[in-house]
Amino acid sequence: MKPVRIPDLRVMKATGTKIAVLTAYDATMARLLDRAGIDVILVGDSVGMVVLGFESTIPVTLDMMIHHTRAVSRGATRALIVADMPFLTYQISADEAIRSAGRLLQEGGAAAVKLEGGRPVLEVVRRMTDYGIPVMGHLGLTPQSVHALGGFRQQAQDADSAARLLDDAKSLEAAGAFSIVLESIPADLASKVSSAVGIPTIGIGAGPHCDGQVLVSYDAFGLNDTSVPPFVRQYAQLAKAIVGATRAYIDEVRAGQFPPEQSRK
Ligand code: KIV
């Protein structure tokens, strides 16, 4: 199958074909998502919470992201790979942002990077895209600002913050972003943003009217079954399957049923 490229996503928006995005953090998961035909694999900094056991995405470093992005790149041959830029790798200066993004592309094998925020990152986005680094924006609930936001909760609920978010989305498009993730915002605002910009919006907890949807794969497949956000739909129950399989293995080992006697021929 033909690899997914950035211009393909714009065509999908124009033709009303919804874009399916899932996160992955390793080669095995990337291979499976790719085989199923996913359009975009996001190597999210959610790796910090989902795989590494941190309380937030803030402790995730650039080296960790490169390590996981490289693994995903080895597994996927068709999907477009987007890597998250971790906290403080793009906020300090455009030069540092370009260097950090460059490593995610060069060493990690990503085709694009994602970073969080609106107005404060516009100059950085402009500089990065001028140098040919494709940038995906991320507005609404931006997890790297979890402390300032007071937790993982829905954003842009009043008219002022909704207007600011709409303005940020238009500014990100003008700065050169090729797509924007809209996380945990009211569905009617996500719909308004999606109509107002020419680039595809990818929603998570933002209703059905975005140009695509993204979920954290561990949530979507029921691998994480403890604190699942309310907007998630679980397409499999892998935690239950793994616990069941582990119990069966333990029982068979204890009972001496595994491994079987070797047949001598
Ligand atoms: O880190 C991540 O997985 C993300 C998605 C939830 C959009 O940013």
Side-chain angles (χ1 to χ4, degrees), residues 12-102:
M12 289 175 82
K13 174 169 178 134
T15 57
T17 310
K18 298 272 189 180
I19 301 163
V21 185
L22 281 168
T23 66
Y25 316 104
D26 63 70
T28 300
M29 181 70 87
R31 197 173 301 122
L32 296 175
L33 303 187
D34 209 50
R35 193 191 298 168
I38 200 78
D39 300 309
V40 178
I41 296 179
L42 172 65
V43 190
D45 59 356
S46 51
V47 67
M49 301 173 74
V50 173
V51 174
L52 304 175
F54 296 133
E55 296 265 299
S56 77
T57 58
I58 291 171
V60 175
T61 65
L62 185 59
D63 284 339
M64 290 175 193
M65 285 306 301
I66 291 169
H67 177 77
H68 287 278
T69 304
R70 199 185 292 140
V72 167
S73 303
R74 287 188 205 110
T77 55
R78 177 187 170 272
L80 184 85
I81 298 172
V82 180
D84 255 337
M85 298 193 69
F87 182 60
L88 284 196
T89 61
Y90 57 92
Q91 292 92 337
I92 292 167
S93 73
D95 287 350
E96 206 169 317
I98 290 165
R99 207 168 293 125
S100 306

Side-chain angles (χ1 to χ4, degrees), residues 217-225 234-240:
S217 53
Y218 279 52
D219 292 341
F221 301 150
L223 263 168
N224 165 28
D225 63 353
Q234 293 197 309
Y235 291 86
Q237 304 293 334
L238 295 190
K240 277 199 187 77

Side-chain angles (χ1 to χ4, degrees), residues 244-257:
T246 306
R247 286 188 181 134
Y249 171 71
I250 294 167
D251 289 349
E252 289 200 355
V253 168
R254 298 242 164 90
Q257 292 166 343

Side-chain angles (χ1 to χ4, degrees), residues 102-116:
R103 289 192 64 199
L104 287 163
L105 267 57
Q106 225 170 12
E107 299 172 44
V113 296
K114 175 166 81 60
L115 50 76
E116 298 181 4

